Amino acid sequence: MTAEDRRPGSRFDDVADAAHRAFRLLPAAPQDIPPPNSAAARRPAHRISADPDTVERDLIKLVLTLVELLRQLMERQALQRVDAGDLTEEQEERLGATLMILHDRMVELCARYELTMQDLNLDLGPLGTLLPPAEEP
């Protein structure tokens, strides 16, 4: 089938197929590995399931994870600038308020898509988690 033979909406199918192939290459998480004696143990385990019904939620989870990573990096940079004395008191207040608002919006978006902030912390295997552990209030 050539590009001219495809219907206009089939490009999304191509993207979904590519994502499915890419996710098959990821190593399985321990909870995804069946017991050695089961029939499922004979076939490869998948870490991520490319389910069309959850693609929106999964995409939102990925985007929110990236936004949270950037938010935390900005927060650390802001703290370094405060510690170095690079900011005026007014700038510190404005920066702190902005970071708190961004955190609140992140919590709201997570709630809207039935996610928790811990859901955004990807496990990178031997490297640990993407985000540092949440601080206890």
Side-chain angles (χ1 to χ4, degrees):
M1 177 182 277
T2 64
E4 294 83 27
D5 297 335
R6 296 182 188 163
R7 56 186 167 76
S10 69
R11 184 160 184 206
F12 294 113
D13 295 334
D14 293 342
V15 171
D17 290 341
H20 179 71
R21 285 191 309 275
F23 292 143
R24 277 196 326 240
L25 300 174
L26 294 174
Q31 67 269 18
D32 295 335
I33 299 173
N37 299 337
S38 72
R42 294 191 248 323
R43 61 183 161 87
H46 293 86
R47 181 176 187 160
I48 297 177
S49 174
D51 183 5
D53 297 332
T54 63
V55 71
E56 180 183 7
R57 184 175 185 272
D58 294 341
L59 181 60
I60 290 295
K61 182 178 175 181
L62 176 61
V63 170
L64 290 178
T65 297
L66 293 173
V67 171
E68 178 61 13
L69 176 63
L70 292 173
R71 185 196 71 77
Q72 288 188 15
L73 291 173
M74 288 177 9
E75 189 174 275
R76 287 189 200 137
Q77 181 66 34
L79 288 174
Q80 287 177 352
R81 290 188 67 194
V82 167
D83 289 343
D86 292 346
L87 302 173
T88 66
E89 193 170 311
E90 180 183 322
Q91 289 172 325
E92 288 178 20
E93 290 294 323
R94 192 172 47 171
L95 187 58
T98 301
L99 289 171
M100 286 192 313
I101 290 169
L102 181 56
H103 184 287
D104 291 344
R105 296 297 185 275
M106 286 294 297
V107 171
E108 289 172 14
L109 286 169
C110 284
R112 180 182 299 166
Y113 288 94
E114 298 176 356
L115 297 166
T116 64
M117 294 299 282
Q118 291 78 20
D119 291 334
L120 305 182
N121 200 357
L122 302 177
D123 182 6
L124 302 176
L127 299 175
T129 56
L130 178 66
L131 305 171
E135 296 178 9
E136 299 298 321

